[in-house]
Amino acid sequence: MHSSTWLARQAEAPSRQGDTRSPFQRDKARILHSAAFRRLQAKTQVMYIGMHDFPRTRLTHSLEASQIGSSLVAHLHQQQPDISRSLGLSKSLIESLCLAHDIGHPPFGHGGEIALNYMMRRHGGFEGNGQTFRIVTQIEAYTPDAGMNLCRRTLLGLLKYPVLMSAARRAILPDDVTHFRHLPTRQWLPAKALYDDDSAALDWLLEPLSASDREHLGQFSEMPTTDRHGRSAFKSVDASIMEIADDIAYGVHDLEDAIVVGLINRELWLEQMFPKLQELASALVDFDAVELTDNLFSSHHYQRKAAIGSLVNRILTSTQLVCQSEQFESDLLSYKAQLAKTEQQLLNALKHFIFTFVIRKPEMQVQEFKGQQIVMELFDALSVEPDRLLPENTATRYKAAKQQGWNSARVISDYLSGMTDAYAARLHQELFSVQPPRI
């Protein structure tokens, strides 16, 4: 599957004398050295900044996901060598996908994402995965207008939701609010999709696929309705591996952090999570819910580390390559990576536990709410006076978009979504603070 078609790039790439790296190793280097990747160090994964001095940022989360992704490929090579070989599964490729998967996420977590989606409601919406695709295909400054100019297969692996916003979005949007503070956030969750603004890049990417594969890839497992977004049904085998690595890093490693900072204590775990573990225990080989609990909440850090490691290993080693649909002609689409049923239930239970008792905790939501207001107020100010308030480069892009009749609001959205939490907060303070201005 390493055919030259899937290794093609949008723009011609300079050949460098003596460069012996594979195309996927080159992609990994471009992602690692990009400004978008570096900014992840100052974007929070979970909003408990200040609670301890080693926060898990989106950067550390991406590095952890990348390591898990690499282990997944090694496991699949070992367990299903023939299929892995025929698919051309590559550690460098999966590491690249895991490193890049979060670069489109805006400041202030999902609060920032909802804020931008609301502000972009009449201009094609906003969604973190769609923004990642936009960054790698056109924004990041490696080329004049092809972004990081990654391989076609790398781009295909970054498509978690290979459908356009106009097809995925609910038919009727909620009512506008009279004030940003009144925004009902659950109603403004974005559809998981790519922007219609980026349809040309998507067309180029899917060019090698047959017409029937392109059509099948764009299908929904849940069709959009008047009040609910649709859900795309398929993704490539590489994207499915990346998604498992991301889920394990979120479900297991974020659990570790939450225990360390005291957001989750033994009592809460015994009340909410332990019964579920006992339920699953009979279907899991050599699994002891009591021993796991004792180790997770042990006063010895090495015991907690060992428990986290064994959880990751248990879930990871249950992964298999399976056929997701007989209808696809391309092997890259007909296969997907999938966890064993009980391990998937275990991971789902951990993710649900983290979401309910960490992400949705009032202290976390206060931080997210504050960030959301900052993003909406910045967007509002910048869109009223873009020529006056946007930095020079962004203002030039904004004018060019206006002249070409393109979506100029998307330029403001690109600028804001690229900000770190601290930069957005500082700009907000400079624009709206009542303190005397610094000259």
Side-chain angles (χ1 to χ4, degrees):
M1 290 310 297
H2 281 184
S3 75
S4 58
T5 326
W6 287 108
L7 297 181
R9 301 177 187 274
Q10 286 169 281
E12 201 175 326
S15 60
R16 291 179 180 145
Q17 203 176 353
D19 190 346
T20 55
R21 295 173 300 170
S22 73
F24 299 138
Q25 286 172 327
R26 292 179 73 184
D27 283 355
K28 183 181 170 186
R30 285 176 190 201
I31 292 160
L32 271 171
H33 294 289
S34 67
F37 181 72
R38 282 200 307 280
R39 286 191 190 106
L40 294 176
Q41 68 187 303
K43 292 187 180 187
T44 41
Q45 170 69 2
V46 179
M47 291 280 175
Y48 36 60
I49 287 297
M51 293 179 74
H52 63 70
D53 61 355
F54 51 103
R56 194 162 249 115
T57 64
R58 285 202 181 269
L59 182 75
T60 58
H61 163 76
S62 300
L63 291 169
E64 283 163 352
S66 173
Q67 184 274 318
I68 294 167
S70 176
S71 301
L72 278 165
V73 175
H75 164 74
L76 293 169
H77 278 321
Q78 178 77 34
Q79 295 299 311
Q80 295 169 285
D82 294 344
I83 304 175
S84 295
R85 204 175 300 116
S86 71
L87 289 169
L89 292 188
S90 153
K91 279 189 185 182
S92 294
L93 168 60
I94 300 300
E95 285 169 356
S96 297
L97 302 180
C98 294
L99 291 171
H101 81 281
D102 262 357
I103 59 174
H105 278 275
F108 308 113
H110 288 292
E113 185 179 43
I114 289 164
L116 277 177
N117 185 46
Y118 177 72
M119 299 310 286
M120 289 293 288
R121 64 196 178 282
R122 288 188 182 67
H123 309 286
F126 179 90
E127 198 272 329
N129 298 283
Q131 191 66 22
T132 294
F133 183 71
R134 187 169 170 78
I135 288 168
V136 297
T137 54
Q138 57 180 295
I139 295 176
E140 190 69 33
Y142 273 79
T143 56
D145 47 22
M148 293 188 199
N149 200 25
L150 304 175
C151 288
R152 216 184 220 124
R153 179 159 175 179
T154 305
L155 293 177
L156 185 70
L158 283 171
L159 284 195
K160 275 176 79 171
Y161 311 104
V163 292
L164 290 175
M165 190 68 79
S166 55
R169 221 175 183 189
R170 55 190 277 182
I172 301 168
L173 291 178
D175 294 335
D176 291 2
V177 293
T178 50
H179 193 286
F180 296 148
R181 285 177 192 165
H182 302 164
L183 189 75
T185 52
R186 305 308 294 166
Q187 288 182 28
W188 285 97
L189 287 164
K192 303 285 189 188
L194 300 175
Y195 308 139
D196 288 54
D197 294 331
D198 301 330
S199 58
L202 179 64
D203 290 343
W204 174 84
L205 167 56
L206 302 182
E207 220 172 80
L209 299 174
S210 66
S212 69
D213 271 9
R214 279 201 295 275
E215 189 184 340
H216 199 44
L217 183 62
Q219 288 185 350
F220 290 89
S221 56
E222 290 174 27
M223 291 300 290
T225 63
T226 50
D227 59 354
R228 197 186 68 231
H229 301 313
R231 277 197 81 81
S232 59
F234 302 111
K235 53 179 74 68
S236 73
V237 65
D238 301 320
S240 71
I241 297 170
M242 175 262 281
E243 189 167 44
I244 289 174
D246 182 24
D247 282 353
I248 294 173
Y250 167 69
V252 183
H253 286 298
D254 284 7
L255 168 70
E256 181 186 6
D257 255 13
I259 291 170
V260 170
V261 301
L263 285 172
I264 291 171
N265 58 32
R266 193 186 181 102
E267 289 67 40
L268 181 67
W269 176 268
L270 288 171
E271 182 190 314
Q272 298 292 337
M273 193 64 202
F274 192 72
K276 183 70 184 170
L277 292 179
Q278 284 185 308
E279 217 177 280
L280 296 172
S282 59
L284 292 165
V285 183
D286 295 332
F287 182 75
D288 186 335
V290 176
E291 185 186 5
L292 175 68
T293 302
D294 287 345
N295 288 339
L296 282 176
F297 294 94
S298 165
S299 56
H300 301 296
H301 291 320
Y302 65 86
Q303 285 184 296
R304 183 170 54 248
K305 278 285 178 204
I308 291 292
S310 71
L311 263 181
V312 170
N313 181 66
R314 175 178 294 279
I315 296 167
L316 187 155
T317 53
S318 80
T319 310
Q320 268 195 314
L321 294 166
V322 298
C323 178
Q324 70 171 337
S325 171
E326 302 270 343
Q327 284 179 261
F328 285 117
E329 293 165 36
S330 168
D331 284 351
L332 290 181
L333 302 179
S334 56
Y335 283 96
K336 70 170 180 178
Q338 184 176 283
L339 297 178
K341 188 184 169 190
T342 314
E343 279 76 7
Q344 184 67 65
Q345 289 173 329
L346 173 62
L347 183 55
N348 288 348
L350 288 168
K351 283 169 62 185
H352 178 72
F353 180 70
I354 289 292
F355 181 76
T356 310
F357 297 103
V358 178
I359 309 287
R360 299 300 293 171
K361 219 173 165 61
E363 302 96 291
M364 308 299 118
Q365 289 302 303
V366 165
Q367 294 300 320
E368 207 168 274
F369 175 81
K370 201 166 21 174
Q372 208 170 303
Q373 303 307 307
I374 288 173
V375 170
M376 289 190 282
E377 287 176 5
L378 283 177
F379 192 106
D380 195 41
L382 294 172
S383 55
V384 170
E385 296 230 46
D387 298 346
R388 190 174 168 202
L389 298 175
L390 287 174
E392 206 172 317
N393 279 352
T394 313
T396 305
R397 277 183 63 216
Y398 183 86
K399 280 179 202 147
K402 275 273 198 213
Q403 283 160 5
Q404 303 280 346
W406 296 338
N407 186 357
S408 53
R410 181 68 63 202
V411 177
I412 297 174
S413 163
D414 290 342
Y415 173 54
L416 273 172
S417 70
M419 292 180 183
T420 62
D421 299 8
Y423 185 87
R426 193 162 65 246
L427 180 61
H428 184 271
Q429 193 174 16
E430 283 175 7
L431 285 174
F432 300 112
S433 171
V434 292
Q435 300 294 321
R438 287 181 293 132
I439 305 298

